[in-house]
Amino acid sequence: MNYTATTADPETFSSLAGPLPTNAVIETILSRSAAKYYDSTATLSDDQIRDLVRIGTSAPTSFHLQNWRFIAVRSPQAKARLLPIAWNQPAITEAAVTFIIIGQLADASTVPERLAPVVEAGIMPAHLVPEWEGPARGLYDNQPQRQRDEAVRSATFGAAAIIYAARSLGLGSTPMIGFDAEAVHKEFGLAEDEVPVMLLTVGPERPGNWPQKPRLPVADVLHFA
C-alpha cells in the first residue's frame, strides 16, 4: 500500500546518553514526536485508516476484552462538527484524520464472547473460558472505578499502537486531550458505557515540526527493587 513517507533524522538520536541497541522498531519509537503541522492537502484512504486501526487493535487488553472503539473523523463535515468542541485546534481540520479513541467500560460478561474466536482458533481450550470469566467478574462487577480505569487503559494502549504504526509509515500523529468530553460524547453518539479517552490526529506532515524532545534521565525515573 502506498503511504506518503518521511525518513527519520539520524540527528534525532544524538542527544541520547550513551549507545542504545537499535533496530527499525526502536528507531521508530525514538524518532516519534507530536506533530503540530500537517499537510492539509493530503488524505488517507479507507484502507489506510483500516490498517492503522487493525494494528491498534493488536494492543493488549485485560482478559482479551478488546473494550475499545475508534471513530475516524475525516470528512470536512465531521471535522467541522469536531473542531469547536476540540478547542478549535488547527490539527483537527489539517490532519488527514482525527481518531476519537473510545474506551468501553470493562464488562466481564463479554469474556465468553471475546474468547470464542480464541477457542475456535485452537489457541485456548474451552474449559479455560470460565476460569477467565470468574476472575474478571470479581475484578470488575460492581466496581465502576475499575471499569472506567480499564476503559482508559485499553484505549490508550490502542492509541499508542496506532501512533507508532503511523510513525513507521512516515505519518505524523498527535494525541490530544484538549476537547469537551461531554460534547464529543453527545455529538458523535457514544454509548452510555463509552468514554472518549483522547483524540488522535494522523496524517502526512509539513515542514516545521520539532524532533522528539529530551526526556528525563533514566536515573531519575528508574529504581531497582
Side-chain angles (χ1 to χ4, degrees), residues 17-221:
L20 280 174
T22 188
N23 57 36
V25 174
I26 293 171
E27 289 177 6
T28 292
I29 293 170
L30 294 179
S31 67
R32 181 220 60 84
S33 62
K36 183 176 182 181
Y37 303 114
Y38 290 94
D39 178 356
S40 61
T41 66
T43 60
L44 294 179
S45 70
D46 289 358
D47 284 343
Q48 289 172 316
I49 291 170
R50 290 189 188 100
D51 286 347
L52 289 171
V53 171
R54 182 179 178 185
I55 293 166
T57 60
S58 72
T61 57
S62 179
F63 295 98
H64 201 51
L65 290 174
Q66 303 173 80
N67 52 317
W68 45 33
R69 192 161 68 88
F70 308 84
I71 298 176
V73 178
R74 58 88 178 271
S75 70
Q77 296 81 6
K79 289 180 177 182
R81 289 163 56 202
L82 181 59
L83 182 64
I85 55 178
W87 299 6
N88 289 302
Q89 296 177 82
I92 298 296
T93 54
E94 293 179 359
V97 62
T98 298
F99 292 103
I100 302 175
I101 307 291
I102 299 165
Q104 298 168 329
L105 301 181
D107 179 0
S109 72
T110 66
V111 168
E113 177 187 345
R114 295 291 189 268
L115 293 181
V118 184
V119 173
E120 185 178 348
I123 296 170
M124 170 187 280
H127 71 82
L128 288 182
V129 174
E131 296 180 23
W132 282 43
E133 183 181 0
R137 287 189 176 278
L139 188 61
Y140 299 122
D141 284 1
N142 303 311
Q143 296 290 337
Q145 186 61 54
R146 287 182 187 172
Q147 293 171 10
R148 192 180 192 283
D149 288 348
E150 203 61 64
V152 173
R153 190 159 32 237
S154 295
T156 301
F157 280 146
I162 292 174
I163 287 168
Y164 293 119
R167 176 60 190 168
S168 75
L169 296 168
L171 302 172
S173 67
T174 308
M176 303 163 68
I177 60 170
F179 62 95
D180 183 331
E182 291 185 4
V184 168
H185 198 287
K186 180 179 180 181
E187 181 66 31
F188 288 88
L190 273 61
E192 198 170 315
D193 68 340
E194 293 184 325
V195 180
V197 173
M198 71 181 79
L199 306 179
L200 176 60
T201 53
V202 177
E205 302 175 64
R206 58 184 171 89
N209 287 317
W210 293 346
Q212 189 175 102
K213 298 180 286 295
R215 267 29 183 194
L216 291 170
V218 171
D220 290 358
V221 299

